[in-house]
Amino acid sequence: AIVDAALGERQQGRGSRLIHLLESQQRIAAVACLLVIVAIAALGFYGPPTLARIVARRVPVDVDQRIGTAALATIRPYFGESSLTASERERVQKQLARLLLGTPSTTGPRIEFRTMNGGLPNAFALPGNVIIVTDELVRLPATDDEIAAVLAHELGHLEKRHGLQSLLRGSFALLIVAATTGDLSALTSFAATIPLTILTAGYSRELEREADRHALDLLRARGIKPRAFTTVLVKLEDAQVSLQRNSTYLSTHPPTEERTALFGGITPAERLALVTDSWHDEAKTAVGRQDHALALANYNRIIARSPTAHDYVLRAKSHFALLDNVSAEADIKKALALEPELAEAYETRAEVLAFGARNYTDALTAAQKAVALAPESGVAFAFLGYAEMMKNDKAAATDLDRAVELS
């Protein structure tokens, strides 16, 4: 009995200790669960960007390449085949070569040309060292340095693996699994979401700023004036306004004023001149192709921003080429209201009256005024001689000879 009692007390003591241990572990478990919840919450608020950056750096090159291949396949239905000429493509490739000077060719990025079928000029980077460049960007009135500046920005995205970072940031579960287990194979399954995410939501402003800083350093290292990035940003922004399209992708970039300040800044007057100069170039090119409707559209934009007598005359010529003599004369009047002694306005009036309205009397008067204001203008003498000839004026031969001499 004594032994049984002793054993009973002993067993009771063991049971008490076991119960006490379990109770203690429950408290520990509760505290641990609370800590886990707090840790996950803190990670949700502060951790993903840093963790995504760390994991993205660990992704092997071959996995990065597979992700890029899958991402590139995804965008095919959303873009058309490029119609750029060989010389246009070569021009862009040369700018990339300028930036990659001294970099091993085996690790360099490649450019894929696509068209957005009249959409916004664009370029964006994908994993696997791929830069998508659209026809619309290449055909933007941009200098070689400006094209290089855009590529430098995209190289920043590639260098920092921003595509992978965006993918990881966008999937909390994927980020946790990749960070804790080191299993990066699942990334390939999510690769299709990368280009659509970039196109619809863009990179975060933090990543865009990082790419801008990379571009600034790279441009300086290659002896390219950073201002090229400022000017191309203004042109890209203007293209968005001109097409009257809102781009979520562009809206994710930091404000243009902030970005241009990093690259040297630009005054309102410089911005206006830059934009109108590009429109003048577009209009001139359009006239050379006999695309007077496009030229007219550019002159409309120029005059809406900053009307000058010269621009009114240029627009009058576009109206005349489109057989709209009434609008042409209206613009000539506006030009002369700004500059009453503008010879080219009278030259254009003489042309419109002689060849459009067949009003040789008034054409003769306009041509005479043009010659008086610009006695060394072969154009003025040509219109004068033509009007005289149509009125059987003997002075026509002399004035036409003079036109040939001055031309």
Side-chain angles (χ1 to χ4, degrees), residues 4-78:
D4 290 340
L7 289 173
E9 288 178 1
R10 186 175 180 181
Q11 290 173 350
Q12 184 178 7
R14 287 177 178 176
S16 297
R17 287 195 298 273
L18 179 60
I19 292 172
H20 177 71
L21 180 60
L22 290 173
E23 288 176 346
S24 299
Q25 287 181 339
Q26 285 180 341
R27 288 195 293 270
I28 292 171
V31 172
C33 287
L34 180 61
L35 290 174
V36 169
I37 292 172
V38 172
I40 291 176
L43 182 62
F45 279 103
Y46 305 107
T50 301
L51 193 56
R53 185 177 295 109
I54 294 171
V55 173
R57 289 173 183 165
R58 292 168 51 193
V59 175
V61 173
D62 63 319
V63 174
D64 185 51
Q65 294 287 348
R66 290 203 303 271
I67 293 172
T69 300
L72 191 58
T74 303
I75 71 168
R76 287 198 176 96
Y78 302 92

Side-chain angles (χ1 to χ4, degrees), residues 11-12 14 25-26 63-64 71 79 99 106 110 148 194 196 268 270 274 291 308 320 345 347 363 371 397:
Q11 290 173 350
Q12 184 178 7
R14 287 177 178 176
Q25 287 181 339
Q26 285 180 341
V63 174
D64 185 51
F79 289 81
L99 298 171
T106 55
R110 75 179 191 276
I194 294 178
L196 299 182
E270 289 173 330
L274 177 67
D291 189 349
T308 66
F320 176 59
E347 290 175 355
V371 167

Side-chain angles (χ1 to χ4, degrees), residues 172-250:
F172 185 76
L174 180 63
L175 176 58
I176 295 298
V177 170
T180 56
T181 69
D183 182 9
L184 303 173
S185 60
L187 289 172
T188 307
S189 302
F190 288 83
T193 67
I194 294 178
L196 299 182
T197 299
I198 295 172
L199 286 172
T200 59
Y203 291 114
S204 70
R205 294 196 172 189
E206 173 198 348
L207 298 184
E208 292 294 352
R209 290 187 178 98
E210 193 171 24
D212 279 353
R213 290 191 292 271
H214 180 276
L216 178 62
D217 293 340
L218 183 55
L219 292 174
R220 285 173 172 167
R222 296 296 180 260
I224 301 172
K225 293 182 179 179
R227 183 176 172 79
F229 194 69
T230 293
T231 54
V232 78
L233 282 179
V234 172
K235 292 178 180 180
L236 288 169
E237 185 179 65
D238 178 70
Q240 178 181 343
V241 173
S242 300
L243 288 171
Q244 297 181 339
R245 297 185 185 180
N246 293 322
S247 170
T248 305
Y249 168 66
L250 291 177

Side-chain angles (χ1 to χ4, degrees), residues 102 285 292 318 329 345 348:
T285 301
H292 299 291
S318 292
E329 176 58 26
T348 304

Side-chain angles (χ1 to χ4, degrees), residues 103 264 272:
T103 302
L272 177 61

